[in-house]
Amino acid sequence: MTEYSIRHGVTFHQLCLAAISLCLRENRPSHQPVVLGAPFLNRGLDDHDVVGLFLEPLPVLVNAPAGGTGITYLRDTQQSSRDSLSHTIPWHALLDHFSVHPDHPNIPFIEAVVTFHDYRVNHGLGVPGIAPLMTWCQGAKFNLMMEFCARKDGSLFLRIEYDDANYEAMKIDKVQHSIMLVLMGLTRGLDLADIHTDLDNMSEVPPYTSDQYFAMRSVDV
């Protein structure tokens, strides 16, 4: 995954957007686009002197595949991500324009939020015996969120945060494996037809327990 990202000039986040959008296309009309959300730092003029984390969702519309290769789809996804960043509209302005009132955690317009944290160059505390501890809060901020984390040791973690009123754990387990399967297919240069065949042939997924995260080595993807 690391070598693929460098060779093709795409970010890990763009690669994950492409993989997730392909997974969400399953069992839907082939021409229908997927709308994902990315975290976007957006401070208003009145917020520049305020201490805090100002994040809001940035909609990214990923159109249906125009070609049969994975790299073509990835390029289209990359362009969609760039277009969203180039034409950013404040979230509250977007809601006002469409007269939409959000019903938390169901974010309007967006099917899933995708985040990526890159800690590959994180130097840490430099104290012997101190190691990172993966932790998170209970509950869901969004209806569905995929949170990726790349660590210095080459591992890639995926944690899925979801509203259990709308999704069953068994469905989320399958989504986890599907995403990693698509990531491997994209980075190995498979055509979209071959990736969909792998998804169709995916064996039964053993359930996860105790809110464990799913991890694999990004240097091996």
Side-chain angles (χ1 to χ4, degrees), residues 116 122 141 168 217:
F116 198 101
N122 185 12
K141 297 182 288 295
E168 296 181 352
R217 290 184 59 81

Side-chain angles (χ1 to χ4, degrees), residues 60-114:
V60 180
L61 188 147
V62 183
N63 289 310
T69 64
I71 186 59
T72 299
Y73 186 73
L74 181 56
R75 290 296 184 204
D76 292 341
T77 304
Q78 182 183 50
Q79 189 59 51
S80 296
S81 176
R82 290 173 173 173
D83 289 344
S84 295
L85 286 170
S86 304
H87 303 85
T88 305
I89 300 175
W91 183 245
H92 69 274
L94 194 63
L95 297 181
D96 291 342
H97 177 76
F98 289 100
S99 301
V100 172
H101 300 283
D103 179 24
H104 188 79
N106 298 311
I107 304 298
F109 315 122
I110 294 173
E111 300 176 55
V113 175
V114 182

Side-chain angles (χ1 to χ4, degrees), residues 9 11 20 34 54 57 67 70 79 88 100 102 117 121 133 173 182 186 197:
T11 67
I20 291 171
V34 173
F54 288 73
Q79 189 59 51
T88 305
V100 172
H117 307 282
V121 294
L133 175 64
D173 293 339
V182 173
L186 288 173
T197 298

